[in-house]
Amino acid sequence: MEERKGFGTNFGFLMAAVGSAVGLGNIWGFPNKMGASGGFTFLIIYLILAVCCGFIVMVGELAIGRKTGKGAVAAYHAISKKFKWMGWMGILSAFLILFFYCALGGYCIKYTVVNIGDLFNASFGSGAAAELAAANDTSVGAEVFGAFIGNPTEAIIYGLIFVALTMLIVLGGVGGGIEKVCSVGMPALFVALLICIIRACTLPGAVNGLKYMFVPGWAVTNGVIEKAPDFLTVLATAGGQMFFSLSLGMGAMITYGSYLQKKENIQKNALLIVIMDTLVALMAGLCVLPGRFALDPNGALGGPKLLFITMQNVFDRMDAVGPIFGIIFYLLVVFAAISSSISLLEVIVAHFVDKARDEGKGDKRKAYTLIAAACVGLGCILVCADALGTTGFAPGNLLGMTGDLPTWAADWLDFFDMLSEGIMMPLGAMLMSLMIGWEIGPEVIKGEVEQSGHAMGSYGFFKICVKFITPLCMILILYGQIKEFFF
Ligand code: PFF
């Protein structure tokens, strides 16, 4: 039978797992949610949740993956009678996230190209948008974005380029494609982020960005937001953000864990992934928020508009070096998005490739990667053509809803996000902790973690959390998420 090839080194695994975790969620989600939800207070709640839920589920997923040596579906199947359907929920989540993630990845490629155009004063830069902005009294970022989403064909082409790049890396396999790309790309991303932070934090007025992000209550006192959210909302925001940011609850870490060698230390790796992901989220805040407060004080603070309008205004309003920082920044975001999208595609591909191998059909990676990428491409086309709900076939329009549409129904991006990030991922994480705590037993995880020869020092803590604390927090988070989406 064909050999199942995994990560060559622990560094390669770590970079791939951190690459999966670090993505758009860190850049446009975390800083703004932290600023709007109480600064340092939010950070402390986030960190407590990251330790009591994120770390616990991370150890559980990596251990289950390595123990079974299988992708999400087969891993659940091998380990649990009651929860064996959950792997399929993971595959569905992976598809839904990829649909909007690839569309957004394509937007980022487009913005890299625009900034290259600006650097060389070429026609594909933002020159035409600057003229329109002057005539319409808007901003360059708003005009670039408006023109781009007003041209769905262009958005579709860029989205499909992003799908193709993701596909090419996954075609190379785990050791050959994913590990190689992440081992070089993640350190490069870190350096690029440092360069952008230095530029952003030395702009005049940048300090307000830091105050918004860190000082409790600053956002309300200074009228940036109307009122502080209540505790349950903050908990749900921090929890939802954490699961999405750590790529948990949908089989990505089970899949990566299944390629991890027995000698590697799961406990240490899980801790490092949580720490690095949080560090990059904080660093992303130090890059985008000072820029926004210094150069586009009325700009969006989070979401696609932060990335594609506010940040483009920031680069436009810097002096001659603006396009250079624009190129570095958008390339950084493209890479953060690609290192996440390859882990999502791998969740899908690993399942079908393993199945074919087990049935003696040989290595079918090429065929399944192409098929999965084609399906992702179709979803990506839908999100790009919808152009953030501006072309009249948003879910709410199709459902015949009238008046102001709720966020989840206003466009396909938010609809897929609501289903995956809002519901399926926290649900997946909650069921995973219940399965470990009450069906298979935490000692199974301990046994797997200790295969490396290192004692599981956190076992006492792990046991209490996985049985009681994690499921309880997850219920609150899930309740808060559903309430936020629908009520
Ligand atoms: N963690 C990624 C982010 O923060 O953008 C999103 C993500 C990637 C979620 C991979 C789930 C996943 F499997």
Side-chain angles (χ1 to χ4, degrees):
M1 197 191 288
E2 292 272 340
E3 193 198 340
R4 191 175 192 269
K5 296 190 200 83
F7 292 105
T9 64
N10 194 58
F11 178 75
F13 160 75
L14 197 60
M15 288 302 104
V18 172
S20 168
V22 168
L24 298 173
N26 299 59
I27 296 161
W28 81 34
F30 184 89
N32 177 40
K33 288 177 187 169
M34 180 165 158
S37 309
F40 258 121
T41 326
F42 174 91
L43 183 59
I44 290 166
I45 296 173
Y46 184 91
L47 290 177
I48 294 174
L49 287 175
V51 174
C52 298
C53 302
F55 170 71
I56 301 296
V57 177
M58 181 74 74
V59 169
E61 288 205 12
L62 292 176
I64 286 176
R66 193 175 70 178
K67 183 176 172 55
T68 56
K70 304 260 188 251
V73 174
Y76 275 110
H77 216 274
I79 214 149
S80 161
K81 287 197 191 67
K82 294 197 185 82
F83 295 95
K84 58 183 182 192
W85 52 273
M86 270 179 55
W88 286 108
M89 191 166 84
I91 292 206
L92 182 60
S93 299
F95 268 117
L96 298 180
I97 300 174
L98 275 167
F99 291 164
F100 67 85
Y101 224 82
C102 289
L104 294 167
Y107 286 21
C108 296
I109 299 179
K110 157 80 184 177
Y111 274 72
T112 311
V113 172
V114 168
N115 279 278
I116 293 175
D118 284 347
L119 187 63
F120 296 107
N121 271 326
S123 58
F124 53 90
S126 60
E131 282 168 25
L132 280 175
N136 299 339
D137 199 18
T138 53
S139 69
V140 174
E143 294 295 344
V144 172
F145 192 58
F148 183 53
I149 63 166
N151 181 357
T153 314
E154 196 186 1
I156 289 171
I157 292 172
Y158 278 105
L160 293 180
I161 292 176
F162 188 88
V163 175
L165 289 174
T166 305
M167 184 187 80
L168 285 175
I169 300 173
V170 173
L171 270 178
V174 174
I178 298 177
E179 177 170 356
K180 283 209 178 104
V181 169
C182 291
S183 298
V184 178
M186 288 316 289
L189 178 144
F190 198 79
V191 174
L193 202 49
L194 279 179
I195 295 173
C196 290
I197 291 174
I198 294 172
R199 173 69 285 218
C201 287
T202 48
L203 290 167
V207 70
N208 284 341
L210 304 180
K211 288 184 185 159
Y212 171 72
M213 191 162 158
F214 291 103
V215 179
W218 190 88
V220 184
T221 320
N222 289 275
V224 185
I225 56 167
E226 249 171 52
K227 71 177 178 57
D230 59 44
F231 180 71
L232 185 65
T233 311
V234 174
L235 191 76
T237 309
Q241 168 68 27
M242 184 197 68
F243 279 98
F244 187 74
S245 190
L246 289 174
S247 310
L248 292 173
M250 39 84 50
M253 291 300 165
I254 297 184
T255 308
Y256 273 7
S258 73
Y259 295 112
L260 189 59
Q261 297 178 26
K262 290 283 182 200
K263 68 177 184 345
E264 309 301 358
N265 186 337
I266 287 185
Q267 190 179 225
K268 193 169 109 202
N269 276 314
L271 195 64
L272 282 174
I273 299 167
V274 174
I275 292 174
M276 287 198 221
D277 182 63
T278 312
L279 189 69
V280 172
L282 285 168
M283 288 172 70
L286 298 184
C287 164
V288 293
L289 290 177
R292 182 271 186 198
F293 277 88
L295 295 177
D296 191 10
N298 297 319
L301 286 153
K305 288 193 175 143
L306 166 78
L307 217 46
F308 303 122
I309 298 181
T310 311
M311 289 314 285
Q312 184 56 35
N313 282 338
V314 168
F315 300 122
D316 182 63
R317 288 170 196 172
M318 277 181 187
D319 38 33
V321 294
I324 297 180
F325 284 102
I327 295 169
I328 298 176
F329 176 78
Y330 285 112
L331 273 181
L332 170 172
V333 186
V334 170
F335 186 75
I338 281 214
S339 60
S340 297
S341 65
I342 51 182
S343 72
L344 289 158
L345 191 59
E346 183 61 27
V347 170
I348 303 163
V349 170
H351 164 65
F352 292 103
V353 170
D354 283 352
K355 193 161 169 285
R357 187 186 307 102
D358 290 349
E359 289 166 359
K361 293 184 188 153
D363 186 359
K364 289 263 179 270
R365 176 167 285 270
K366 271 205 186 93
Y368 285 122
T369 308
L370 290 175
I371 296 171
C375 299
V376 169
L378 291 177
C380 169
I381 290 176
L382 172 69
V383 174
C384 292
D386 175 47
L388 295 182
T390 51
T391 45
F393 60 92
N397 304 131
L398 299 186
L399 289 169
M401 295 163 79
T402 48
D404 267 352
L405 296 176
T407 319
W408 66 266
D411 57 73
W412 282 98
L413 189 159
D414 277 297
F415 180 71
F416 292 138
D417 186 37
M418 178 271 290
L419 284 180
S420 52
E421 178 179 0
I423 298 175
M424 286 156 70
M425 291 176 79
L427 184 66
M430 183 177 80
L431 294 175
M432 152 74 76
S433 56
L434 288 174
M435 179 187 86
I436 295 174
W438 300 97
E439 192 194 4
I440 64 170
E443 58 287 350
V444 173
I445 302 299
K446 180 172 186 271
E448 180 56 36
V449 169
E450 293 187 343
Q451 291 270 325
S452 62
H454 301 88
M456 185 174 176
S458 62
Y459 182 61
F461 175 71
F462 179 83
K463 197 169 155 184
I464 298 183
C465 285
V466 84
K467 274 179 169 274
F468 305 105
I469 302 179
T470 314
L472 201 73
C473 289
M474 294 312 307
I475 290 175
L476 289 176
I477 292 167
L478 200 55
Y479 169 73
Q481 292 271 82
I482 292 175
K483 195 168 141 237
E484 199 193 330
F485 272 116
F486 295 108
F487 304 104

